[in-house]
């Protein structure tokens, strides 16, 4: 796994960065695709997903320094003002093709 992650980290594509975030947070693909900048608590290094986005209960996901660094790089690249992935919310059937 370390070799795979090193190879993934070397890629600069949007999909590679989002896949890395998906792996490191153990979040569902659809959740990562729909991640919004407003859900990131930079001070506490947390990703807070409201209950309405999670089928019922809210999620409070801790973010490692690595994930924070990836998110900062993405923010600087300005993929999208609202969605971290640069994609608008997508249906579940499209999740596999988006990444």
């Amino acid at each position: 796994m370390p070799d795979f992650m090193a190879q993934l980290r070397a890629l600069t594509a949007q999909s590679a960065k989002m896949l890395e975030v998906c792996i490191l947070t153990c979040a569902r693909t659809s959740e990562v695709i729909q991640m919004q900048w407003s859900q990131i608590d930079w001070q506490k290094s947390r990703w807070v997903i409201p209950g309405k986005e999670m089928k019922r209960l809210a999620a409070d996901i801790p973010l490692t320094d690595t994930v924070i660094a990836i998110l900062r790089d993405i923010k600087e690249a300005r993929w999208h003002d609202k969605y971290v992935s640069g994609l608008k919310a997508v249906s579940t059937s499209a999740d596999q093709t988006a990444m």
Side-chain angles (χ1 to χ4, degrees), residues 13-80:
Q14 174 182 355
S15 57
K17 298 300 177 194
M18 296 314 298
L19 177 59
E20 189 174 0
V21 169
C22 191
I23 292 168
L24 294 174
T25 60
C26 298
R28 294 181 183 102
T29 305
S30 60
E31 294 163 355
V32 172
I33 290 171
Q34 295 178 30
M35 178 191 289
Q36 297 179 30
W37 290 116
S38 62
Q39 298 171 344
I40 307 300
D41 184 334
W42 298 98
Q43 301 299 325
K44 296 180 182 177
S45 296
R46 312 294 284 183
W47 171 22
V48 181
I49 308 172
K52 65 181 179 174
E53 306 283 332
M54 291 290 300
K55 298 183 181 176
R56 205 172 95 225
L57 301 173
D60 186 352
I61 301 168
L63 302 174
T64 64
D65 291 343
T66 302
V67 174
I68 290 291
I70 294 166
L71 294 175
R72 287 193 194 284
D73 288 345
I74 292 170
K75 193 157 184 71
E76 287 177 17
R78 298 184 157 266
W79 290 348
H80 196 277

Side-chain angles (χ1 to χ4, degrees), residues 14-16 29-30 33 87 90-99:
Q14 174 182 355
S15 57
T29 305
S30 60
I33 290 171
L87 302 170
V90 296
S91 67
T92 307
S93 61
D95 289 351
Q96 307 316 330
T97 57
M99 268 202 217

